[in-house]
Amino acid sequence: MAKGAQKLQIIPLGGLGEIGKNMTVIRVDDEILVIDSGLMFPDEDMLGIDLVIPDISYLIENKDKIKAIVLTHGHEDHIGALPYVLKKINVPVYGTRLTLGILEGRLKENGVDSSNLHSVMQGDIINVGCFSVGFIRVNHSIPDAVGLSIKTPVGMIVHTGDFKLDYTPIDGKMTDFRRFSDLGNRGVLVLMADSTNSEREGHTPSERTVGAAFDRAFHNARGRIIVATFSSNVHRIQQVIDTAVRYKRHVAVLGRSMVNVVNISLELGYITAPEGTIVDIDEIHNYRMEQMVIITTGSQGEPMSALTRMSMSDHRKVGIVPGDTVIISATPIPGNEKLVSKTIDNLMKLGANVIYGRNQGIHVSGHASREELKLMHNLVRPKFFIPVHGEYHHLVQHARLARELGMPKENIFISENGQILEFTRDKGQVAGKVTAGMVMVDGLGVGDVGNIVLRDRRQLSQDGILIVVVTMNKQTHRVVAGPDIVSRGFVYVRESEALMDEATARVQQALDRCEDEKVKEWAAIKSNVRDALGRYLFEKTRRRPMILPIIMEV
Amino acid sequence: MAKGAQKLQIIPLGGLGEIGKNMTVIRVDDEILVIDSGLMFPDEDMLGIDLVIPDISYLIENKDKIKAIVLTHGHEDHIGALPYVLKKINVPVYGTRLTLGILEGRLKENGVDSSNLHSVMQGDIINVGCFSVGFIRVNHSIPDAVGLSIKTPVGMIVHTGDFKLDYTPIDGKMTDFRRFSDLGNRGVLVLMADSTNSEREGHTPSERTVGAAFDRAFHNARGRIIVATFSSNVHRIQQVIDTAVRYKRHVAVLGRSMVNVVNISLELGYITAPEGTIVDIDEIHNYRMEQMVIITTGSQGEPMSALTRMSMSDHRKVGIVPGDTVIISATPIPGNEKLVSKTIDNLMKLGANVIYGRNQGIHVSGHASREELKLMHNLVRPKFFIPVHGEYHHLVQHARLARELGMPKENIFISENGQILEFTRDKGQVAGKVTAGMVMVDGLGVGDVGNIVLRDRRQLSQDGILIVVVTMNKQTHRVVAGPDIVSRGFVYVRESEALMDEATARVQQALDRCEDEKVKEWAAIKSNVRDALGRYLFEKTRRRPMILPIIMEV
C-alpha cells in the first residue's frame, strides 16, 4: 500500500465516558499498539461485582497484529486489567520501572507469567512495528508516570497519560515541557489528553504544598500520628517519612497494599528513609506514642481497610486512643463520601483528633486543571484533539477548552468506547465501530455475570424472595406434599406469621383452582401460583419480592 | 414538687449523629413537648428500604404527657415522620402555614386525619402545658421557617431550627435577629443550633445571588430553559418565575412534588406570578421553545424523577432537543454524585447545554456557615449549648466553635439520640437513656424489616441464591425425587451448565453419605447439603451465594 494511502485508526476500548478502565488502540494497517489496560470499580448497581475490565474481543480477534502494550503509569485504572488481558493475548508490555514493579505483584497474585514485561526509562524511545514510542516524563500522583509520543507512518500522536504540571515536585523531576514543546514544533497530528480535572479552574497545587500541611499537623500533634492515603501515592508517603524524620518520629506501615507499594518503592529507590526510621508494625509498642507515625490504607473508608478497622476498634494491631492525630490525606472519590464520613465519626468518638476535608491542605489532585491543560495544548499545538480519561461532561468541558484556544470544532472529536476515529494527514473522521464494553469480574468468574443475573440480584436485594415448593404426582397432577413457602429477605417471619399463613392459603387456592380447571402444564400452574401470591403480597405490603414456584414430581 | 427542684430534660430522638429524622423531646416533670418529626432517606446498605423514621417507643409510653408537637419548617427531615407518628399518638401539631400546607398533603396521601393541626405565624407565642413556645422567623431554603424559644419552669431554651442569615432575602423577611438578641438579653439556659454547615468557613451566600446567575443563564439561552431544583425551595422557584417574566417567557411546572408545592405556595401566597405566566405542561407546545421555561424535579438524579426521565428520552411530555438549556440548581447530596453526573452526561448527549456545578452561582445552601453560627451564639449567649442536626463530625466542629467563643467545655454537650440531658438553672448532666433508634419503612411495612432481613438481602444481592429441593420419604428417609437445584442471581445458567451439573452431583453425594451414615434429622441433612455445595461453589467461583436446602416429605 502506498504510504500516502495509509490510515491511522484510534479506537478507545475504555476510559471515554467513564472514569477508569483506560485502554486505547492505535492501529495503522495491520499493526496495532495498545495504550494501557485498566480496570474500573463497579457502580453501586453492579451488585456483587468485584471489578470491571474492558471488553477486549477486538484485541482477541486481532491478536496477531498487536505489537505491544505500552503503559503510562502504575494506577489500577491503567494496569489493573492486565492480569486478565495477558491470559488472552501474549504480547510484550512496556512500562517504567515502578509501573512494572507494581504490575508484577498483580500478575503474581493472579498466577500470570511476567516474563514479557520490558522496562523503559522516562525519556526512552522504542520501536515496535511501524510505531516509534517515546516515554515522556509527567508529574502525577504516582512516580515514574509518562505521557507518550507515538510516531506513526501517518503522523505523530501525543498522549498525555494522566498528568499535572508540578513546578516543585518532590523528586525534583518536572513534567518534560521541552519534549512536549519539541513535539509541537515538529508537528503533532493528534493530541489525546487527560480530562479528569477539565472542570476545575486554575492550577492544581503542587504536591509539595501537602508537606507544609503535614508539618503544621505534626507540629501540633502531642500523641501518635496516623496518616491514611492512597498506597500508590509514593511522593505523599515520602513526605510523611520526611516530616516524621524532622519531628524525630519512627514510621510503621499498615495495610496490605500500602506495605506492598512501600516495599517495592524502597527496593527500587523511589522512597528513601534514614536507617532505623521505618519500623515493623509489631514493634510499635517499643516506642512511646509521640515517637510514632503510622502510614495506612483506608482513606476512602473502604470497609476492610486498616483505618476503617481501627475506627471500629476491630484492628488486631492498632487501637485508636485519645490523643491520636489521624490525617486523612485524600478526598473522597464520588460515591465514597458516606463511608469516609462514618470513618471520621468513629475515629472522633474514640477520641482521635481527625484532620480531614478540602480546606486543610492535606491533599492535592494528580490531574491538570484548566490552566495547565491550556499550557499543554499550547505546547503541543495538535491538528486534531481527542479528550480522553473522563465522563462525558469532562470530555465536553475539555473540548470547550480546546475551542476557546481557537481549535476548529471539526478538528475536535468527543469519541466513545469502541468508536473508530480514522485520520489521514489532513483529515479525521468517524469510521465505524468495534465491539467494546464492560466485562464484569465476580470472584473467579470473568464475564459470567451479565444483565439477567444482575437484574435478579437487584430484585432480590430490594424485596427478597419467596420460594413455593409443591410435590405433585406425575400422573394425577394432584398435590402430594406442600405447598411450603420459604422466604428470605422479605419480612421477619416470626413477626409476620399471619401474613405467611394467608399467603400459603392463597397458594393452596390457586392450586385448587388449577385442579378444578384441569390445568396440567407445570408452567401454567407455576404462573398461576406466582400471580396469585404476588398480587396478595403487593396488596398487603406494597413489595414485589421474587416469587419462585418449584414443583417436584413423584 | 418545689419549683426549684424541677428538672428540665432534653432528649433527642433523632437528628444527632446523622443528617435527617430530626426529633427532640423537651420534658419538665410530667409534661412533654416534641420538636419536629422528620424522616431520613436510607443508607445504601439498607436494601429495599423506602425511608427511615425515629423509634418513638418513648413517646408511645408517655403519650398522655405529650402536650404538643411543634414544627420548625416543612422539609421532609422535619415533618416526614408525622404520617406515622400521628397514627400512634394523637396530639396537637403547631406549625406555620406553609409547613402545615405541605404536611396536610403528606397526611392525606397516608390517610391520616389532619384536624389536629394548628397554624401559627412567625412571631407568635403559644402556651402548651408549662411551656411557652415562641416561633421566631429564620431564613432557610424553604419559606415560613422558624426557630423556637421555649420558656420552661427551669429556664429558656432556644432552638434555631435549620437556619441561615440572609441579609437580602427574596421575600424581604430576614431572620429575626432582634428576637434572638432579646432572648439573649433576658437569659438563655440552653441553645440548640443547626450544625449542618459547621465545617464551612465564612458566610453562606444570600439566596438572591442565585437570581443573578439565573439572569446570566437566561440572557445567554437561545432555546428552551429547564430548571431543576428542590421542590420545597419556594424562593428559588419564585426567582425562576421572576427571571422568566423579565425575559418574557412562560413557566410550566413538572414533577409530582414540584406541582404540589407550587400549587400550595400559589394558594397561600408564597409564590406570585403575573396572570398568564404559568401555563399547563400540556400547553407548552403552543409556545415556541424560546418562550418557555420548565421548572422540574430531578436535581439529585433521582431515577424516577422528571429530569432523569427526560435525560433518558423517557418522559411522556418533554423531550430534550439540541438548544435546550438545562440549569441544575442544586448540589448533589453526598451519595447522589454519580446519579447526577449520569443525568448531566445524558442531557449533554441529547444536545442540551447543561449549567451545573459549584462555581456557577446557581445554588446556595440553606444552612448557616461558621461566621453566621458565631453571630447566633453571640446573640443568644446561652449558659449551655447542644449542637444539633448533623453527623458526629458536624457536632464536634460546632462544639469547637462554641469553645473558640469562650464557652467552658463542661457547658457543651455533644449528645446522641436517646440520651437524656438534664438541666437545672445552673447545672447540666447526662442522666440516662431512653429507647431511640431507627425504624425502617418498606412499602406498607413499618418496622417489619430488621437486621436479619437486611442481612439476607445483602447476601442475596452479592452472590444470589441456590435452592436445593429434595423430596424424601417420611419413613424410610430415602430420596423420592430430586435433588433439583434452582439458582437466581448466581451465574448465567445457560453458560454454566457444567458447573450446575457438578453442583447437583455434589448434593447427590452428600445425600448418599447421609443415607450411608444413617443421618435422619432433616436439619442435619440440610446442613450437610449446604456445606458440601457451599464448599464446591466457593472453590470454583470464589462466591458465597445463599444456599437454601428444602426437604419435602411424602
Side-chain angles (χ1 to χ4, degrees), chain B residues 326-345:
Chain B
V326 179
I327 303 173
I328 300 186
S329 179
T331 20
I333 293 167
N336 292 348
E337 289 84 354
K338 284 195 170 183
L339 290 174
V340 175
S341 271
K342 249 179 224 171
T343 302
I344 293 168
D345 283 353

Side-chain angles (χ1 to χ4, degrees), chain A residues 43 47-48 199 337 342 345 356 393 397 442 444 448 457 461-462 467 481 488-489 541 543 548 553, chain B residues 43 47-48 199 337 342 345 356 393 397 442 444 448 457 461-462 467 481 488-489 541 543 548 553:
Chain A
D43 275 357
L47 297 170
E199 294 180 336
E337 290 84 353
K342 249 180 225 173
D345 283 354
Y356 62 97
H393 55 107
Q397 300 290 10
D442 180 2
L444 296 181
D448 67 340
R457 286 185 185 171
S461 76
Q462 291 301 299
I467 300 127
R488 286 292 184 278
T541 67
R543 298 179 203 170
L548 199 61
E553 299 181 340
Chain B
D43 274 358
L47 297 170
E199 293 181 336
E337 289 84 354
K342 249 179 224 171
D345 283 353
Y356 62 96
H393 55 109
Q397 300 291 11
D442 180 1
L444 295 180
D448 67 340
R457 285 185 186 172
S461 76
Q462 291 302 299
I467 300 128
R488 286 293 185 277
T541 66
R543 299 179 202 169
L548 199 61
E553 297 180 344

Side-chain angles (χ1 to χ4, degrees), chain A residues 276-296:
Chain A
T277 303
I278 297 182
V279 301
D280 195 274
I281 193 71
D282 292 316
E283 292 172 16
I284 60 173
H285 300 292
N286 299 334
Y287 301 90
R288 294 194 313 278
M289 289 289 184
E290 66 272 23
Q291 292 180 307
M292 280 308 309
V293 176
I294 296 173
I295 304 180
T296 179

Side-chain angles (χ1 to χ4, degrees), chain B residues 42 69 107 131 163 210 277 311 341 407 463 531:
Chain B
I69 299 176
L107 294 179
F131 306 103
F163 83 106
V210 176
T277 303
S311 76
S341 271
M407 186 174 262
D463 289 324
D531 291 351

